[in-house]
Structures are given as structure tokens and as C-alpha cells.
Amino acid sequence: MVLSPAVHEPPGPPRTAERCLESARTLSTPTTGGLPQVHTWLRDRARANEFTTTPVPFAELDGWSFAPDTGDLVHRSGGFFRIRGMRVTGAAGPVPQWSQPVIDQPEIGVLGMLAKRIDGVLCLLVQAKMEPGNINMLQLSPTVQATRSNFLRLHGGAATRYLEYFTEPGRGRVLADVLHSEQGGSFYRKRNRNIIVETDEDVPLHDDYRWLTVGQLHALLREDNMVNMDARTVLACLPWDTTEAGPDDAAAQDTTDVQSWLNDAKSRSSLVSRLVPLTEVEHWRRTERAIGHEDDRYFQVIGTAVRATNREVGAWSQPLIAPRGRGVVAFLVSRARGRTEVLVQARAEGGTPDTVELGPTVQCVPANFHGLPDRHQPRYLDLVRDAAPGRVLYDTLLSEEGGRFYQAENRYLLVEADDEVRDAATPPGFRWIPLRQLHTLVRHSGYLNVEARSLLACLQQSA
Amino acid sequence: MVLSPAVHEPPGPPRTAERCLESARTLSTPTTGGLPQVHTWLRDRARANEFTTTPVPFAELDGWSFAPDTGDLVHRSGGFFRIRGMRVTGAAGPVPQWSQPVIDQPEIGVLGMLAKRIDGVLCLLVQAKMEPGNINMLQLSPTVQATRSNFLRLHGGAATRYLEYFTEPGRGRVLADVLHSEQGGSFYRKRNRNIIVETDEDVPLHDDYRWLTVGQLHALLREDNMVNMDARTVLACLPWDTTEAGPDDAAAQDTTDVQSWLNDAKSRSSLVSRLVPLTEVEHWRRTERAIGHEDDRYFQVIGTAVRATNREVGAWSQPLIAPRGRGVVAFLVSRARGRTEVLVQARAEGGTPDTVELGPTVQCVPANFHGLPDRHQPRYLDLVRDAAPGRVLYDTLLSEEGGRFYQAENRYLLVEADDEVRDAATPPGFRWIPLRQLHTLVRHSGYLNVEARSLLACLQQSA
């Protein structure tokens, strides 16, 4: 799956674009080594550390219990997160109102990527991180990936490595710093701080961490379940021209029309979502081992026991969200009008902080739509799933965050639209947007949802 | 109070800045007439229409009542807004937690300003609007100022004039479209859509509406209680160079550092606010005529009966928020470093959608701090209140939104800081920011609070 350079940033000042492509394509420096060395390192880290996740009954969760008054699943510290209920009303579509379990975590986590120029090439310090929900145990994560509860050491364990670069002012040059949402179908108004800080300091290197070039990370994005969700959303925020701290030339692109279209969708949406006690959630059943929907759709909340040798604490237990099917997340892409454009959807989700954000063309778990009439099937799903191989620019299995999701693997696709699709009238709620405008908007909160940001990172992959 | 041109946008491409200053300073066109004609029109409109607001006991409010289960003050339609309770925990400062009444209105209102070039000068269509809480009955408001309940005609009255320019796509060129917050001390996560649409159409002119040049509006901003809050926040979103739809050259200014500083404040804040039933609010008492704090600070919720001849319906009643004292809202301004900078505060408020936004240097009701020790007095309050006259660039009484606030009049100030203040270390939570960066940030949600946006509009006033 190779994206031609034309997918990137035509037109633009050639010098800037060239410099950027060069930086993004650099697959190694004398210090980072080539991709084979990266794989060797990952195998070593997997061997050096022990990490097991075992689903257990809720009663065996250490420190977690169902609150007597609300039925919420809470930690005895009052920290980390809670499984509560969310009631959604006024939604568009076939189901105008529902209630469901949701993760409530009213604190801002840090997703911090430390950057440094090594041999003149911008490199990022990634972590070989094990998370309980990872389908393959170990994935590449940002330098720091920590909730506030974690870095305040609520768990009583070790300090978060490299955190000081992101919490102490003046430790480096900030290349990006944006609060972004997470999955609006599972989190209630959660947001994380996506930060990239460039340092000139000598950075002590722990065995679980390694400098990779941006080009290496983009190449690794084409491997199944390799680059985790947090690394993808931070990568999406990287200024295109990484040789300058400022907004790249994409910022000169006017986004007023897109903002207006999105605000129109927001103001038309009558969706209201509120937290409710978990006991008030309807059509969901709690057993000893799972909270699941009576139709066995959507997801289950399960309990897990975790053992690790390379985390802040050696053993813990926690709830996780286990999806009931594999999702499809896709952008239709067009280069028909002399610039790269993607087809976005104004997508309302119950847990999205401001209700509606720009999402991918397709974002669904097809199994959830089994048995529903054709008119309720997701738009463009067939088109991306059945695309001719020549039109598929990217097709990789990527995981959602393994600290909250259990083996949540989705198929991410970039599919080139044919002229007929590109020229057809877009249905309500869909719009073609130049890639450059997405690059401008991703520097601010509230525009791109997490799935769209993942795809944006994949769109930037080169070589 | 004259702002020298240097306050505006030095440095910058001279042609753009000159064009802009020229447009902003134009005080009349053959069609709009001069300022005296504007005042004559306003007097005529006041005479032509009858409008009275009378405080009444809650029991006499038509259609409003206290819900038996929650004690919330609600309308029988379920629409408009509700007075509910808000519980705030984890706040910084002397009072870490409290509960209070709050306006809950989970819908997006439209603040729409229609623009048109008349005789080559950009003009805005303003409305002489009467609102029940206005201290002087009539103030200048945007072309459209309507909640969704209003423009869906939940009140059973007449349609909102000129609404179609803002709700039908393609009726004009969108110059700005941003969702902005309202007062975080009184509203729970309320936001309005600030839109400016430029039209080429012939616009039928109703008696209560009039085209004003941007220069006229800026001049009128220097009159007490003349330009209402909604008009001010929309004006703040006007691109500086109104001859181009795109972001002005201020967008080229890098805002990454400011974003990072604000996100740091957001992630350090542990403030969490949640809606609760009004009956659960502590230290507030409800009488027949008011809900007030037991110390008689902050504000009261009162009921009012309204009669009007020029609104969608002729008579109605509604609750209003009546502040217990006059506020001070001020920016310290500096031109010491060759560009205009203002001292902003990262301000956490319970009802702010994402908790922390950039606020003015000073934003308080001094009476609320009577009797508190010196260390709890608002920073910089003395400095702006006791500034030498030569340093006061702007000093005008402006009202908060008369549709929700009863006679809420605040003193808005722009005060030039002396070199000593400018060069001193800023206390935590304060930061000098170039005006150009505020112009960039105000084009997106979640950065500037409503008081800072008002001051930004005042900073743009010229001549």
C-alpha cells in the first residue's frame, strides 16, 4: 500500500514540501537504526517483560466494586475512571434515544511525544508499551501516555518516565498541544492532551523506549496492530513542516466554510446526553462476568486481572470495554480536483464533548447493523469494503487504546473514490474537505474525532 | 477615549492594515447616515414601541413553575431554558466547592450579523432590540439573536426576521462562524453560534433594523449600554481585514505556545461541575419573589412579566438573573514591545464548557469580595480601578444579555500598563498575549470567554 507523494500536500511551496517529504521518508539515522533493528528491539522487549491479562468475574477485581446507591463500577480511591450510565435523547437516525454504560473520567490525560533532531532528522521517542487490552500485548505508544491519576501516582507505584518534559514549562519547543476527544461511543466527554515537545537535551534512554524517525513510524503504521491509538492521534497533530514550530502553510487555508458547515450540524442536532446511575441503564444486563446488551450487540464491560513486569505497578485489576465485533473505519479520498480531499461525515455521538465532530466517511461495526433494513445500513460501507484493490491506498488492522478496550481491533482503510462518486451530490451530513484544511483544524479542539485523526496519521504515511 | 491607530495591528502589511482602518473608521455612507441619524432612529424606535418589564412573584409567572421532584424552575413546554442547580468541586482558590443556581439551556442559539458592502464600505445590519433585562430598554443587537426554541417558534409567535440568511446554506459568503461560550458563572455549558454572513442581495429593511458601518458600531461601543453583549461577541469574530473572507494575516501568527499554556491550566484544574436538582443547592434560599444566596452576594433569580409591541409575542413572563453588584471587566494593555499585547488570565468557571478559558486581566464583582482578606482580593483590580486618566484607553458601562440578566451592568476598561507592570513577572495564571493571537484564537471555540470577547471588540474600536 503505497501512497504516491501527490497524496501529500499539493500544491504548496516546493521547498517546504520537499523538506517535509524528505524528513517523513527517512527510514533510519545512524542512531535509530533501520526497520529490522526496530523489529528486533520489539521482540526483545516482548521477551524481557512478562505481561498477562486474564478476564475475571467482577467480584475478583481488586479495589473495584459496584457502588451500592448507583450501581456504578468504581475504584476505591475514587480515581482512575468509573463505569457509569449515559442517557442519550434527541438523536437523529433510527434510534432517537437510548441508555448505555460509559466510561467517565473527568480528567485530562497526557499523550506526550518527545521529539529531537538526530543527524538532522526529526525523531520521536516511542515506548514499547504493554496494555491489558492489547490483542498482541505490545504496541508502540507515545513517550508518555498517562492519565492524571497515573502521573499523580494514585496507584502508589513508580513515577511516569519522561513526564517532566511535558509538565515543566520551558523543557523544549512545543510543536503541538491540543486537547482532543476520545471515542464518543464509549467515553463521556473524555479528552486528552496531545503534546509534541522538541528537545535539545541529552535524553537518557530506558530499554522500553527508542527514537524512531517520522518515516519509520509512518512505515510501521502499515503493520497490523503496531502503532497504538494514542501514538496515532499525536502523530496526526504533527505540523506538516516539522522544521518550523509554527502552523504550516496549511494554516493559510481558510477553514471558515467547513466550520460553518460543522456548526450548522451542531446547531441542528438535538442530541443531549447526560450521565445517569448505571442501574438506570435499560436493556443491558449484568452477570458475574460481564455487563452486556440484551441483543449481544455493541460491547461488553468485563473485568480483568493484569500482571506486568515493566509498568508502574506489578499487578492490578481493572474493567475493560470489549467490543462485540470488528469495526470498519474509512476515508474516501479523491485527487480529482488537483488537491487531496477526503469525504468527512458530521458525526454525532453521545459522549463527544460537543456532540458533533468530523468523522471518517465510514465508521461502524457492521455486526451491529445485522438484520436492520437497508435504509439503516451505514452509507458508503459497501463501497469501501468492496473497493477494487487498485483503489485501496491503505488497509490495516489497528487497535483502539488497550488501557480501556479489550482486543478492540478495527479495519482502517483509505480508498480512492472514482470520479462518479466524487462528482455525485453528497448526502446530507457528508462533505468533501481538502486535506490541508484537516491539517489546520486538527491543531484545535473539537473538530476531528479520534477515528478521523487516526486516518489522518495514516494519510501522512509515505514511502 | 481615543485609541491611537498603533493599538490596532502593528506590524503588518501596510496595505491591509490601512484598508482595514479605513473601513473601520468610516462613520457613514450615503445610505447609513451619520451618527446623529443613528441616535434619532434609536429614539424613534423607543417611542414607537412599548416595552415594560415588571418583577413579579414566581407564582405569577405564566407557564413557569418549580418541578415537584427537582425544584427546578421550568417552562411548561420543556423548552427555552431551566433554572437548575450546579455543583462545583475541586476549584482552585479560597472556596474549593460550592453549589449554585444555574441556567441550563442545552441548545445552540444563533447570533447572526448580516453584512453588506454599501458604497464600498462593509456595513452590518443591527437591530434596535428590547430585552426584558435591559437597564435602558433598547440596545443594539445582531440582525438575528434567537435561541433555537425561539426560531422554532416554540412560543407560538411570529417568525424570526432575517433568520434565513443564517440557516439556509448559500445565502451569502460566511465571514465567520464560531460556537462561543457565555458567562460560565451563570450558564451551564451554554454556547451560541456567532455568524457573520455577507450578502449581495437586496435586503428588505424593517423599521427596527438599520445598516451601520463597522466604524459607526465601534464609535457606539463607547456609549454606555448601547451595543449589547451579543453584538459585541459577534463583532469580536469579524476578520480584521474584512475585504477578504479568509483568516487575516493574524492567522499566520503562531498560537502554539498560548494553546500549550492554556492546556496546561486546563489539565491542572481539577474543577468538575455537574447539574444537580435545584433543591440540592446549599446556602441559597427561595422566597416568593427571589432565589438568593444567604449572604446576599452573587446574584438572585427573579421572575418578571414582560409586555412588548415589537417582539415575536406581545406578552410573556420569564425568570432572569439579577446580579447583586456592578462588575469590573478589564484588560491591561501594553505596547511596550512594538506590538499590542494584553494580559490574559486562564480562568476556570463552573459553567464554562471546557472549564478554563482565556479571560480578561480583571473580571469580578468587587462587592462579592467585601470582608475577605487581602490575599483573596482579585489581582490587578486596584491597578485598573485607580489608573491615571492618561492610561485609560476605554472606560464604558456595558450590559450583559438582557434576555437572561436583569440590569446587569459592568464597567469595561482598557488600561495601558506602565513599563514596571509590563516587565514584572506575571503571577501564575496570567500571561501577556499579542492581540494578533487573540484575533486568531477567537475564530475557534473554547479559547476566549465572553467578557474577553467583549473587550476584544472594544479594542478594535477606532477613530
Side-chain angles (χ1 to χ4, degrees), chain A residues 236-275:
Chain A
C237 302
L238 192 67
W240 181 245
D241 180 2
T242 50
T243 59
E244 286 170 26
D248 55 35
D249 54 320
Q253 193 84 3
D254 182 19
T255 57
T256 307
D257 282 352
V258 180
Q259 291 178 250
S260 191
W261 179 75
L262 181 62
N263 289 342
D264 185 66
K266 286 188 183 187
S267 63
R268 282 174 197 277
S269 169
S270 49
L271 190 151
V272 175
S273 63
R274 292 277 153 90
L275 288 172

Short mmCIF file of all heavy atoms in Angstrom, two decimals, chain A residues 236-275:
data_model
loop_
_atom_site.label_atom_id
_atom_site.label_comp_id
_atom_site.label_asym_id
_atom_site.label_seq_id
_atom_site.Cartn_x
_atom_site.Cartn_y
_atom_site.Cartn_z
N ALA A 236 -1.03 12.68 14.24
CA ALA A 236 -1.92 13.48 13.39
C ALA A 236 -1.73 14.97 13.66
O ALA A 236 -2.03 15.80 12.80
CB ALA A 236 -3.37 13.09 13.61
N CYS A 237 -1.26 15.32 14.85
CA CYS A 237 -1.10 16.73 15.23
C CYS A 237 0.26 17.30 14.82
O CYS A 237 0.51 18.49 14.96
CB CYS A 237 -1.24 16.90 16.74
SG CYS A 237 -2.81 16.33 17.40
N LEU A 238 1.15 16.45 14.35
CA LEU A 238 2.50 16.90 13.97
C LEU A 238 2.39 17.91 12.84
O LEU A 238 1.76 17.63 11.83
CB LEU A 238 3.32 15.69 13.52
CG LEU A 238 4.83 15.88 13.33
CD1 LEU A 238 5.51 16.14 14.66
CD2 LEU A 238 5.43 14.64 12.68
N PRO A 239 2.97 19.10 13.01
CA PRO A 239 2.89 20.05 11.90
C PRO A 239 3.52 19.43 10.67
O PRO A 239 4.52 18.71 10.78
CB PRO A 239 3.73 21.24 12.39
CG PRO A 239 3.91 21.05 13.85
CD PRO A 239 3.78 19.59 14.11
N TRP A 240 2.92 19.67 9.53
CA TRP A 240 3.41 19.04 8.31
C TRP A 240 4.86 19.40 8.07
O TRP A 240 5.70 18.56 7.82
CB TRP A 240 2.52 19.42 7.14
CG TRP A 240 2.99 18.77 5.90
CD1 TRP A 240 3.50 19.38 4.80
CD2 TRP A 240 3.05 17.36 5.65
NE1 TRP A 240 3.85 18.43 3.88
CE2 TRP A 240 3.60 17.19 4.37
CE3 TRP A 240 2.70 16.23 6.39
CZ2 TRP A 240 3.80 15.94 3.82
CZ3 TRP A 240 2.90 14.99 5.84
CH2 TRP A 240 3.45 14.85 4.57
N ASP A 241 5.17 20.68 8.15
CA ASP A 241 6.55 21.08 8.00
C ASP A 241 7.18 21.09 9.39
O ASP A 241 7.09 22.07 10.12
CB ASP A 241 6.66 22.46 7.36
CG ASP A 241 8.11 22.87 7.23
OD1 ASP A 241 9.01 22.08 7.58
OD2 ASP A 241 8.36 23.98 6.77
N THR A 242 7.80 20.01 9.75
CA THR A 242 8.31 19.86 11.11
C THR A 242 9.60 20.64 11.33
O THR A 242 10.14 20.63 12.42
CB THR A 242 8.56 18.38 11.42
OG1 THR A 242 9.32 17.83 10.35
CG2 THR A 242 7.26 17.64 11.57
N THR A 243 10.08 21.32 10.31
CA THR A 243 11.26 22.13 10.52
C THR A 243 10.90 23.49 11.10
O THR A 243 11.76 24.26 11.46
CB THR A 243 12.04 22.36 9.21
OG1 THR A 243 11.17 23.01 8.28
CG2 THR A 243 12.51 21.03 8.66
N GLU A 244 9.60 23.80 11.17
CA GLU A 244 9.19 25.06 11.79
C GLU A 244 8.13 24.79 12.85
O GLU A 244 7.25 23.97 12.66
CB GLU A 244 8.59 26.00 10.73
CG GLU A 244 9.66 26.58 9.82
CD GLU A 244 9.04 27.30 8.64
OE1 GLU A 244 7.90 27.77 8.77
OE2 GLU A 244 9.72 27.39 7.62
N ALA A 245 8.23 25.54 13.96
CA ALA A 245 7.30 25.30 15.06
C ALA A 245 5.91 25.80 14.72
O ALA A 245 4.92 25.30 15.22
CB ALA A 245 7.79 26.00 16.32
N GLY A 246 5.83 26.80 13.86
CA GLY A 246 4.57 27.48 13.62
C GLY A 246 3.61 26.62 12.82
O GLY A 246 3.94 25.51 12.41
N PRO A 247 2.41 27.14 12.62
CA PRO A 247 1.48 26.43 11.76
C PRO A 247 2.09 26.34 10.36
O PRO A 247 2.73 27.28 9.90
CB PRO A 247 0.24 27.32 11.76
CG PRO A 247 0.66 28.63 12.30
CD PRO A 247 1.90 28.42 13.09
N ASP A 248 1.93 25.22 9.73
CA ASP A 248 2.49 25.08 8.39
C ASP A 248 1.67 25.91 7.41
O ASP A 248 0.73 26.58 7.78
CB ASP A 248 2.53 23.61 7.99
CG ASP A 248 1.15 22.99 8.12
OD1 ASP A 248 0.16 23.68 7.86
OD2 ASP A 248 1.08 21.83 8.52
N ASP A 249 2.03 25.84 6.15
CA ASP A 249 1.32 26.69 5.18
C ASP A 249 -0.14 26.31 5.05
O ASP A 249 -0.95 27.06 4.55
CB ASP A 249 2.03 26.66 3.83
CG ASP A 249 2.21 25.24 3.33
OD1 ASP A 249 2.54 24.34 4.14
OD2 ASP A 249 2.02 25.01 2.14
N ALA A 250 -0.49 25.11 5.53
CA ALA A 250 -1.90 24.72 5.50
C ALA A 250 -2.75 25.68 6.31
O ALA A 250 -3.94 25.84 6.04
CB ALA A 250 -2.07 23.30 6.04
N ALA A 251 -2.14 26.32 7.32
CA ALA A 251 -2.92 27.23 8.16
C ALA A 251 -3.43 28.42 7.36
O ALA A 251 -4.39 29.08 7.75
CB ALA A 251 -2.07 27.72 9.33
N ALA A 252 -2.77 28.67 6.23
CA ALA A 252 -3.22 29.78 5.39
C ALA A 252 -4.51 29.43 4.67
O ALA A 252 -5.17 30.29 4.11
CB ALA A 252 -2.14 30.15 4.38
N GLN A 253 -4.85 28.17 4.68
CA GLN A 253 -6.07 27.72 4.02
C GLN A 253 -7.27 28.15 4.87
O GLN A 253 -7.29 27.93 6.07
CB GLN A 253 -6.00 26.20 3.91
CG GLN A 253 -7.02 25.59 3.00
CD GLN A 253 -6.55 25.61 1.55
OE1 GLN A 253 -5.44 26.03 1.26
NE2 GLN A 253 -7.43 25.19 0.66
N ASP A 254 -8.24 28.73 4.26
CA ASP A 254 -9.39 29.22 5.01
C ASP A 254 -10.33 28.07 5.37
O ASP A 254 -10.78 27.34 4.51
CB ASP A 254 -10.13 30.25 4.16
CG ASP A 254 -11.30 30.85 4.90
OD1 ASP A 254 -11.33 30.74 6.14
OD2 ASP A 254 -12.19 31.42 4.24
N THR A 255 -10.63 27.95 6.65
CA THR A 255 -11.50 26.86 7.09
C THR A 255 -12.90 27.36 7.47
O THR A 255 -13.69 26.59 8.01
CB THR A 255 -10.89 26.13 8.31
OG1 THR A 255 -10.67 27.08 9.35
CG2 THR A 255 -9.58 25.46 7.96
N THR A 256 -13.20 28.63 7.18
CA THR A 256 -14.48 29.20 7.62
C THR A 256 -15.67 28.39 7.12
O THR A 256 -16.62 28.12 7.88
CB THR A 256 -14.61 30.66 7.14
OG1 THR A 256 -13.46 31.38 7.57
CG2 THR A 256 -15.84 31.31 7.72
N ASP A 257 -15.64 27.98 5.84
CA ASP A 257 -16.80 27.26 5.30
C ASP A 257 -17.01 25.92 5.99
O ASP A 257 -18.14 25.52 6.25
CB ASP A 257 -16.63 27.04 3.78
CG ASP A 257 -16.96 28.31 3.00
OD1 ASP A 257 -17.45 29.27 3.61
OD2 ASP A 257 -16.72 28.32 1.78
N VAL A 258 -15.92 25.22 6.28
CA VAL A 258 -16.05 23.93 6.97
C VAL A 258 -16.57 24.15 8.38
O VAL A 258 -17.45 23.43 8.87
CB VAL A 258 -14.69 23.20 7.05
CG1 VAL A 258 -14.86 21.88 7.78
CG2 VAL A 258 -14.14 22.99 5.67
N GLN A 259 -16.03 25.16 9.07
CA GLN A 259 -16.51 25.46 10.41
C GLN A 259 -18.01 25.74 10.38
O GLN A 259 -18.75 25.30 11.25
CB GLN A 259 -15.77 26.68 10.98
CG GLN A 259 -14.31 26.42 11.29
CD GLN A 259 -13.60 27.68 11.80
OE1 GLN A 259 -12.77 28.25 11.11
NE2 GLN A 259 -13.95 28.12 12.99
N SER A 260 -18.43 26.49 9.38
CA SER A 260 -19.83 26.87 9.28
C SER A 260 -20.71 25.64 9.05
O SER A 260 -21.77 25.48 9.67
CB SER A 260 -20.00 27.87 8.15
OG SER A 260 -21.28 28.45 8.18
N TRP A 261 -20.21 24.74 8.20
CA TRP A 261 -20.97 23.52 7.93
C TRP A 261 -21.08 22.66 9.19
O TRP A 261 -22.15 22.14 9.52
CB TRP A 261 -20.27 22.77 6.79
CG TRP A 261 -20.90 21.48 6.40
CD1 TRP A 261 -22.04 21.31 5.67
CD2 TRP A 261 -20.42 20.17 6.71
NE1 TRP A 261 -22.29 19.97 5.51
CE2 TRP A 261 -21.32 19.24 6.14
CE3 TRP A 261 -19.31 19.68 7.42
CZ2 TRP A 261 -21.15 17.87 6.24
CZ3 TRP A 261 -19.14 18.31 7.52
CH2 TRP A 261 -20.05 17.42 6.95
N LEU A 262 -19.99 22.55 9.92
CA LEU A 262 -19.99 21.75 11.15
C LEU A 262 -20.89 22.39 12.21
O LEU A 262 -21.66 21.71 12.90
CB LEU A 262 -18.56 21.59 11.68
CG LEU A 262 -18.40 20.76 12.96
CD1 LEU A 262 -18.85 19.32 12.75
CD2 LEU A 262 -16.95 20.78 13.43
N ASN A 263 -20.81 23.72 12.34
CA ASN A 263 -21.65 24.41 13.32
C ASN A 263 -23.13 24.28 12.98
O ASN A 263 -23.98 24.19 13.88
CB ASN A 263 -21.26 25.88 13.43
CG ASN A 263 -19.92 26.06 14.12
OD1 ASN A 263 -19.44 25.15 14.80
ND2 ASN A 263 -19.31 27.22 13.95
N ASP A 264 -23.42 24.27 11.69
CA ASP A 264 -24.80 24.06 11.27
C ASP A 264 -25.28 22.68 11.75
O ASP A 264 -26.37 22.55 12.31
CB ASP A 264 -24.91 24.18 9.75
CG ASP A 264 -26.35 24.09 9.28
OD1 ASP A 264 -27.13 25.00 9.60
OD2 ASP A 264 -26.70 23.10 8.61
N ALA A 265 -24.43 21.68 11.55
CA ALA A 265 -24.79 20.32 12.01
C ALA A 265 -24.94 20.29 13.52
O ALA A 265 -25.86 19.68 14.06
CB ALA A 265 -23.73 19.32 11.56
N LYS A 266 -24.04 20.98 14.24
CA LYS A 266 -24.13 21.01 15.70
C LYS A 266 -25.43 21.67 16.15
O LYS A 266 -26.08 21.22 17.09
CB LYS A 266 -22.95 21.77 16.30
CG LYS A 266 -21.63 21.02 16.26
CD LYS A 266 -20.56 21.76 17.05
CE LYS A 266 -19.23 21.04 16.95
NZ LYS A 266 -18.19 21.61 17.82
N SER A 267 -25.79 22.78 15.48
CA SER A 267 -26.95 23.51 15.98
C SER A 267 -28.24 22.79 15.57
O SER A 267 -29.27 22.95 16.24
CB SER A 267 -26.94 24.96 15.52
OG SER A 267 -27.02 25.05 14.14
N ARG A 268 -28.21 21.99 14.51
CA ARG A 268 -29.40 21.21 14.17
C ARG A 268 -29.57 19.99 15.05
O ARG A 268 -30.66 19.46 15.21
CB ARG A 268 -29.33 20.74 12.71
CG ARG A 268 -29.68 21.82 11.72
CD ARG A 268 -29.46 21.37 10.29
NE ARG A 268 -29.41 22.52 9.42
CZ ARG A 268 -30.49 23.14 8.94
NH1 ARG A 268 -31.67 22.67 9.21
NH2 ARG A 268 -30.36 24.21 8.18
N SER A 269 -28.47 19.51 15.59
CA SER A 269 -28.55 18.30 16.42
C SER A 269 -29.28 18.62 17.71
O SER A 269 -28.98 19.60 18.38
CB SER A 269 -27.14 17.80 16.73
OG SER A 269 -27.20 16.80 17.73
N SER A 270 -30.24 17.79 18.03
CA SER A 270 -30.93 17.99 19.31
C SER A 270 -30.48 16.93 20.31
O SER A 270 -31.11 16.72 21.34
CB SER A 270 -32.45 17.93 19.11
OG SER A 270 -32.79 16.78 18.35
N LEU A 271 -29.36 16.27 20.00
CA LEU A 271 -28.85 15.23 20.88
C LEU A 271 -28.38 15.83 22.21
O LEU A 271 -27.60 16.78 22.24
CB LEU A 271 -27.69 14.50 20.18
CG LEU A 271 -27.16 13.23 20.84
CD1 LEU A 271 -26.60 12.30 19.76
CD2 LEU A 271 -26.08 13.53 21.85
N VAL A 272 -28.89 15.27 23.28
CA VAL A 272 -28.45 15.66 24.62
C VAL A 272 -28.05 14.39 25.34
O VAL A 272 -28.78 13.39 25.30
CB VAL A 272 -29.57 16.38 25.40
CG1 VAL A 272 -29.14 16.66 26.83
CG2 VAL A 272 -29.96 17.68 24.71
N SER A 273 -26.89 14.37 25.97
CA SER A 273 -26.51 13.18 26.72
C SER A 273 -26.15 13.58 28.14
O SER A 273 -25.53 14.61 28.36
CB SER A 273 -25.34 12.47 26.05
OG SER A 273 -24.21 13.29 26.04
N ARG A 274 -26.57 12.76 29.06
CA ARG A 274 -26.34 13.04 30.48
C ARG A 274 -25.89 11.76 31.17
O ARG A 274 -26.31 10.67 30.78
CB ARG A 274 -27.63 13.55 31.14
CG ARG A 274 -28.07 14.94 30.65
CD ARG A 274 -27.33 16.06 31.39
NE ARG A 274 -27.20 17.29 30.61
CZ ARG A 274 -28.05 18.31 30.60
NH1 ARG A 274 -29.14 18.26 31.31
NH2 ARG A 274 -27.80 19.39 29.88
N LEU A 275 -25.06 11.92 32.17
CA LEU A 275 -24.68 10.78 32.99
C LEU A 275 -25.85 10.37 33.88
O LEU A 275 -26.54 11.23 34.42
CB LEU A 275 -23.48 11.14 33.87
CG LEU A 275 -22.14 11.28 33.15
CD1 LEU A 275 -21.09 11.84 34.10
CD2 LEU A 275 -21.68 9.93 32.60
#
